[in-house]
Amino acid sequence: MDFSKDFLRKLDSSKSLVFFTGAGISAESGIPTFRGKDGIWNKLRPEELASFNAFMKNPEMVWEWYQYRRKIISETQPNPGHYTIAEFSKHFDNVSVVTQNVDNLHRRAGSENVYELHGNIEVNYCVDCSEPFEDQIDYSNNELIRCRNCNGFIRPGVVWFGEMLPQEVFAKSERIASNCDICFIVGTSAVVYPAASIPISAKQNGAYLVEINTDATEISHFVDYSVMGKSGEVLPAMLEELLKLRD
Ligand code: OAD
């Protein structure tokens, strides 16, 4: 795989990298993306499954869907894309991952500075009193769980449509993106805001933007360098080229 020499030199001289990731980075692990031909939102309506109103209207159905997704995710493994991002931190002073994914695969691959803008599917809390529910959940039992504190329903710790992003995580992500040398935009359609404003903040503060995606996206015209391909193939090849250059 060929990379531009200018880009490799820029990468070599950079100290601080941010990887802004979306569902595409987990596609090669077997987790479906949201948009595109086989995307989840092509077959199912987000407002019926991923909103607070949907949960209050039909908690059994929404809980069952999340139990199904958790089961799929728990049976998957990180792929070379996740592992290579974790590996990058051995070669640069600062490497952070700002992800829209809730699947925990960056942490499982060994990344340390991970900021989850849309929450984490393994986390749960009470819909009424917000008390965390930390017991291990059996993903094959779809029965609703009640809060020990107030008897409210337990919900997944993900951000639903219409809900605010975790403000501290978002503010920290913006700060990191505003101070990085390169922001990689990996496997995301970059259409869901405010998350998609992260690479824009990076660019406005002087960062070089690199997109890695199998297709062109809304943000392609805005980036400095675009690599078309699967993140599980592009990222390992990119790190290999950098290490050759440094040899
Ligand atoms: P999308 O499903 O919108 O976009 C996935 C992107 O990954 C597309 O641009 C694909 O072209 C690309 N892609 C697919 N396979 C790839 C691969 N192997 N390597 C590289 N790129 C690949 O997913 P997101 O952008 O993550 O929000 O979606 C953003 C948010 O919308 C999600 O976090 C979720 C969803 O509704 C909430 O649940 C709040």
Side-chain angles (χ1 to χ4, degrees):
M1 200 175 286
D2 278 340
F3 297 97
S4 109
K5 295 277 175 293
D6 281 352
F7 159 66
L8 286 174
R9 273 194 291 273
K10 170 83 192 161
L11 181 59
D12 181 37
S13 64
S14 293
K15 299 217 172 322
S16 170
L17 310 181
V18 168
F19 289 87
F20 174 66
T21 67
I25 194 163
S26 297
E28 289 155 82
S29 293
I31 302 174
T33 60
F34 293 97
R35 295 170 187 81
K37 194 165 56 68
D38 300 316
I40 294 175
W41 298 149
N42 251 355
K43 299 169 211 133
L44 302 166
R45 289 157 61 88
E47 59 275 25
E48 283 173 12
L49 287 166
S51 75
F52 184 75
N53 284 348
F55 185 71
M56 293 321 279
K57 201 166 125 200
N58 196 341
E60 288 84 3
M61 182 182 76
V62 173
W63 184 254
E64 188 177 330
W65 190 63
Y66 277 92
Q67 288 288 79
Y68 165 74
R69 286 191 60 205
R70 286 167 163 152
K71 193 159 187 309
I72 294 180
I73 288 169
S74 69
E75 287 162 359
T76 62
Q77 299 299 328
N79 67 57
H82 300 104
Y83 285 118
T84 304
I85 291 177
E87 189 73 19
F88 264 95
S89 57
K90 295 185 187 149
H91 305 282
F92 291 86
D93 291 351
N94 296 300
V95 176
S96 302
V97 180
V98 176
T99 189
Q100 298 161 91
N101 299 345
V102 297
D103 57 29
N104 217 21
L105 290 182
H106 284 296
R107 285 216 181 82
R108 284 175 56 199
S111 281
E112 280 173 4
N113 305 320
V114 180
Y115 299 91
E116 292 165 322
L117 295 175
H118 292 164
N120 186 313
I121 204 163
E122 290 175 12
V123 170
N124 293 282
Y125 66 93
C126 173
V127 84
D128 289 330
C129 73
S130 302
E131 176 98 342
F133 183 85
E134 286 169 347
D135 293 15
Q136 182 63 44
I137 287 184
D138 173 3
Y139 298 150
S140 53
N141 178 355
N142 289 336
E143 224 168 284
L144 284 164
I145 300 174
R146 295 276 189 169
C147 174
R148 290 197 193 93
N149 193 32
C150 75
N151 207 37
F153 290 130
I154 297 298
R155 60 162 283 179
V158 299
V159 174
W160 280 330
F161 284 90
E163 290 185 326
M164 297 260 285
L165 266 52
Q167 289 304 288
E168 258 179 50
V169 177
F170 184 63
K172 185 87 202 274
S173 303
E174 279 220 300
R175 262 201 311 280
I176 294 166
S178 302
N179 286 302
C180 72
D181 298 314
I182 302 185
C183 177
F184 292 91
I185 305 158
V186 188
T188 175
S189 55
V191 291
V192 174
Y193 282 82
S197 68
I198 293 293
I200 295 170
S201 300
K203 173 111 174 173
Q204 282 167 346
N205 286 283
Y208 185 89
L209 298 193
V210 179
E211 180 173 49
I212 301 172
N213 200 303
T214 45
D215 289 295
T217 69
E218 297 284 312
I219 209 163
S220 299
H221 69 283
F222 192 69
V223 305
D224 296 288
Y225 183 50
S226 179
V227 187
M228 282 240 185
K230 294 183 173 180
S231 44
E233 294 169 5
V234 173
L235 285 162
M238 189 181 278
L239 183 58
E240 197 182 316
E241 285 303 307
L242 173 75
L243 298 182
K244 267 196 227 157
L245 182 79
R246 283 184 175 178
D247 240 2

